[in-house]
Amino acid sequence: MPIASPSRSFMLSRRGFGQLAVGAAAACFAGSRAVHAEGNTPVRFALDRRFDALTAPFLAAQDKGYFGGEGLDVVIEPGNGARAMLQRLAAGAQDAGFGDINALIRFRDENPSADLKAVMIIHDRPGYALVGRKSRGVTTAPASLEGRKLGAASIDASFAQWPLFKSLNKIDDSKIKIETIGLPVREPMLASGEIDALFAFGPSTAVSLRARGVPGDDIVLMEMAEHGLVLYGSAVIVSGKLIASKPDAVRGLVRAVMRGIRDTVVNPAAAAQLVLRRNENAQADVERDKLVAVTERNILTPYVRAHGLGGVDRERWAQALDQLALAGNFRDKARAGDAFTDAFLPPAGERMF
């Protein structure tokens, strides 16, 4: 889809977010940060990325004292890709984290001794996408990628789904050149015309490109979820050790994150400021627009609005596992697929937006 503006592209408006705020005013950005009490359970929380709009709900939970209110002392650390984050959890260097659930499914299959579990789905709709330019011949049709030059970071979650995406859409990759590039140079290279499209988290990347001066009507967002993928996206993931030893801490962690998400929905501009405190290269308006886009596009989906945030539809989950198997056989599909539990979620009524 061509990207003209955040409000039109992602069906967002101030009025829409005002409606989302109904019933969530108590979670707004008001009040002071709570002081952690002695005896709180320490939780080392790993991200799969640097501090940006996608991490704002966790920063809100930390800065507003929601973790502390649950008896947790949470330290949040940035990261560099889902697999590295999972390795840190498996090694015991961190207790919980935020990352791609499909990377977790593969990780469990490849590491039988690693007992990591997702306990809360954040991105009901994954952000996997190719973002291209209309002026470079890219459209929303997957076949338009043939004959083009694509930029991909090896650790990117969208690029990890390329084998499945090209199979589902019958893309002839012999006609495509893929250049491996670093995360920091992807957007500048697309903006300068050195590549025709890139693999990235689509909604937020589209906002970044507009901020770089790429005309909105020249940006094409090819979301994999619109072309056959039924996979889930990123989730809160915890170690088996934390689940076994401190299950109440896991429940508290989920409740605090839920409150952080509500805050970012109610006041995305304030949430963007939390990012700026930790990322000197971030821009307030850009992070705000990213957060607005991702919230509406990936978090508060029609399914979430109807059933509540955090859980999965079991039929879709089974279909997702079948799709992942198309891109590579599992050693133990049952174990790999046992990557999510809803045992630590609040009741559905408390998860509605």
Side-chain angles (χ1 to χ4, degrees):
M1 63 179 68
I3 304 299
S5 69
S7 61
R8 185 166 63 190
S9 306
F10 301 107
M11 300 173 287
L12 295 170
S13 65
R14 293 183 184 273
R15 179 181 177 185
F17 266 85
Q19 292 170 343
L20 289 175
V22 174
C28 196
F29 283 90
S32 60
R33 182 178 177 178
V35 177
H36 289 168
E38 295 226 3
N40 281 0
T41 299
V43 176
R44 299 160 297 177
F45 195 93
L47 302 172
D48 66 347
R49 59 201 307 113
R50 62 180 182 173
F51 294 116
D52 67 0
L54 275 70
T55 68
F58 308 103
L59 307 184
Q62 184 180 57
D63 281 25
K64 300 305 297 181
Y66 300 152
F67 289 134
E70 295 289 349
L72 307 176
D73 190 354
V74 177
V75 176
I76 303 175
E77 297 182 12
N80 190 33
R83 190 164 187 86
M85 184 275 290
L86 294 171
Q87 289 171 339
R88 287 153 65 189
L89 262 65
Q94 266 80 32
D95 307 296
F98 171 63
D100 183 63
I101 196 165
N102 299 298
L104 170 63
I105 291 170
R106 286 293 181 191
F107 190 83
R108 284 176 57 90
D109 193 50
E110 296 166 2
N111 299 272
S113 63
D115 191 19
L116 311 179
K117 289 254 191 181
V119 295
M120 179 184 185
I121 300 292
I122 303 294
H123 296 148
D124 180 68
R125 177 187 173 98
Y128 310 140
L130 285 117
V131 184
R133 298 186 63 175
K134 187 177 179 180
S135 59
R136 306 289 297 183
V138 178
T139 71
T140 55
S144 70
L145 298 172
E146 295 179 4
R148 312 295 170 209
K149 184 178 180 181
L150 313 181
S154 60
I155 63 172
D156 182 75
S158 295
F159 184 50
Q161 304 310 327
W162 173 241
L164 175 58
F165 180 73
K166 70 181 181 182
S167 174
L168 290 174
N169 292 280
K170 299 178 171 54
I171 298 171
D172 185 354
D173 62 353
S174 68
K175 299 178 180 179
I176 296 173
K177 181 178 180 181
I178 297 180
E179 182 174 344
T180 302
I181 56 180
L183 289 172
V185 301
R186 291 182 306 176
E187 293 167 15
M189 289 181 69
L190 183 60
S192 66
E194 296 174 73
I195 54 177
D196 304 311
L198 54 81
F199 293 88
F201 194 102
S204 60
T205 299
V207 172
S208 294
L209 288 169
R210 289 184 68 255
R212 288 183 177 277
V214 179
D217 59 3
D218 193 37
I219 301 172
V220 177
L221 179 56
M222 187 186 300
E223 296 178 286
M224 295 185 184
E226 292 190 347
H227 295 281
L229 266 74
V230 299
L231 310 182
Y232 286 92
S234 294
V236 174
I237 300 169
V238 299
S239 69
K241 180 179 179 181
L242 186 64
I243 287 176
S245 63
K246 298 193 180 288
D248 286 342
V250 178
R251 294 185 182 93
L253 180 73
V254 170
R255 285 193 296 266
V257 171
M258 191 77 67
R259 293 185 70 186
I261 293 173
R262 290 190 186 280
D263 273 11
T264 60
V265 168
V266 171
N267 197 337
Q273 293 297 323
L274 302 180
V275 177
L276 266 60
R277 294 178 196 172
R278 298 163 171 86
N279 184 346
E280 61 182 11
N281 296 318
Q283 300 176 44
D285 56 343
V286 174
E287 296 305 318
R288 178 202 63 217
D289 289 351
K290 284 183 185 179
L291 181 57
V292 168
V294 171
T295 297
E296 182 69 9
R297 200 77 181 163
N298 305 102
I299 299 176
L300 298 187
T301 64
Y303 179 87
V304 168
R305 293 178 188 275
H307 300 279
L309 178 68
V312 302
D313 175 85
R314 285 298 173 181
E315 183 176 350
R316 177 184 166 191
W317 181 265
Q319 292 173 346
L321 289 175
D322 289 342
Q323 281 197 341
L324 289 173
L326 294 176
N329 292 330
F330 290 111
R331 300 175 185 176
D332 185 341
K333 186 178 179 182
R335 186 184 189 283
D338 189 26
F340 173 80
T341 176
D342 61 5
F344 301 95
L345 291 174
E350 298 176 19
R351 297 187 279 115
M352 302 302 292
F353 280 75

